[in-house]
Amino acid sequence: MAIMRFWLALLFVLLVGADAAAAATEADYAARRRVLVKMIEQDVRATRRYLGKTELDPRVMEAIAVTPRHEFVPPQQKRRAYLNRPLPIGHGQTISQPYIVALMTDLLGIDEDDVVLEVGTGSGYQAAILGVLVKRVYTIEIVEPLGRAAVARLARLGYDNVEARLGDGYYGWPEHAPFDAIVVTAAGSHIPPPLLAQLKPGGRMAIPVGGRFQTQQLLLVEKDAAGAVTTRQVIPVKFVPLTGGH
Ligand code: SAH
């Protein structure tokens, strides 16, 4: 009996202890996210000449503040999850720098009724940020293990309005088109015509364009109500290449 009580006591200590540690960690992550928001705000001010403004949409910053980036990086990167830096996610790919995620999301000018397409799911972090802000997100990943992991992760974290699939995002997702906004998180040599075709009149697309060894430019592409397209260079960026058979 005594030994039984000992084991029960030990179990109690382990469970309560683990619980307390987990709670502390969540609070700690939330605090780190608040610091991250400050760092992004600083970067936005530092790049105001490119952006033509000194702050991003507060809703976007709030989405950054509530989204658990540490859940989207490999275990060994967790302690770096709230640095304002891209991080490796395996298969030669990266989760984008939070400042860039915030900026691209801001450029889309989205609202809560929007349906958005993302090309390049990667970790699923950008899709999760969009999921907080809009009605529905469709996201496509070409690297199978990354795509599968992202689907499982987004489901586990409860992002029910995000649908992810494997495939070549160059061709978009015609079944769900047209989209209010499109974000491409890998750089190609040009704007894929199928994506332009799947953008709604009045819609916006944020996309990096440029070769692997060239300076890439983040472009904001706007299609007006009459279907005319204008393009503006926002800021030089560095993204992994848009691959696929096109
Ligand atoms: N948005 C991601 C960033 C991932 S990096 C995140 O938040 O983590 C860009 C991703 O685009 C990589 O995972 C890469 O495999 C993917 N990619 C590259 N070319 C693609 C294509 N043609 N179609 C779909 N995904 C592509």
Side-chain angles (χ1 to χ4, degrees), residues 72 89-96 101 118-128 139-143 146-147 165-171 184-187 239-246:
F72 292 84
I89 56 172
H91 307 275
Q93 307 303 324
T94 54
I95 178 172
S96 305
V101 173
E118 179 195 28
V119 174
T121 315
S123 67
Y125 178 68
Q126 169 77 77
T139 180
I140 308 173
E141 172 57 51
I142 204 165
V143 176
L146 287 178
R165 74 161 171 90
L166 291 168
D168 186 348
Y170 183 92
Y171 302 101
V184 182
T185 65
F239 276 85
V240 295
L242 187 73
T243 60
H246 51 268

Side-chain angles (χ1 to χ4, degrees), residues 5-23:
R5 271 204 297 277
F6 168 77
W7 285 115
L8 279 175
L10 183 63
L11 187 66
F12 178 81
V13 167
L14 286 177
L15 285 176
V16 172
D19 218 358

Side-chain angles (χ1 to χ4, degrees), residues 67-78:
T67 304
R69 192 173 188 247
H70 64 279
E71 298 281 6
F72 292 84
V73 299
Q76 66 274 21
Q77 297 294 342
K78 268 205 160 94

Side-chain angles (χ1 to χ4, degrees), residues 51-198:
L51 313 185
K53 56 184 174 187
T54 52
E55 32 186 83
L56 304 183
D57 185 339
R59 291 172 302 172
V60 173
M61 300 311 287
E62 181 57 26
I64 299 274
V66 300
T67 304
R69 192 173 188 247
H70 64 279
E71 298 281 6
F72 292 84
V73 299
Q76 66 274 21
Q77 297 294 342
K78 268 205 160 94
R79 64 200 167 82
R80 296 192 199 92
Y82 295 105
L83 297 180
N84 191 15
R85 289 199 342 215
L87 295 170
I89 56 172
H91 307 275
Q93 307 303 324
T94 54
I95 178 172
S96 305
Q97 181 189 10
Y99 158 77
I100 289 289
V101 173
L103 173 58
M104 290 178 94
T105 309
D106 177 88
L107 286 171
L108 299 178
I110 45 187
D111 67 58
E112 57 192 6
D113 291 329
D114 284 354
V115 178
V116 180
L117 174 70
E118 179 195 28
V119 174
T121 315
S123 67
Y125 178 68
Q126 169 77 77
I129 294 277
L130 290 166
V132 173
L133 295 165
V134 303
K135 188 167 80 185
R136 193 134 187 91
V137 181
Y138 295 97
T139 180
I140 308 173
E141 172 57 51
I142 204 165
V143 176
E144 192 170 330
L146 287 178
R148 289 197 190 290
V151 166
R153 179 179 295 127
L154 290 162
R156 174 171 62 80
L157 297 172
Y159 292 95
D160 306 331
N161 61 341
V162 180
E163 190 178 333
R165 74 161 171 90
L166 291 168
D168 186 348
Y170 183 92
Y171 302 101
W173 198 329
E175 294 82 354
H176 297 296
F179 301 100
D180 296 288
I182 299 177
V183 60
V184 182
T185 65
S189 61
H190 59 275
I191 301 165
L195 296 184
L196 212 45
Q198 291 172 33

Side-chain angles (χ1 to χ4, degrees), residues 50 207-210 215-219 233-237:
Y50 290 103
I207 176 171
V209 168
T215 304
Q216 303 162 0
Q217 289 289 337
L218 178 58
L219 304 184
Q233 287 190 1
V234 179
I235 193 167
V237 287

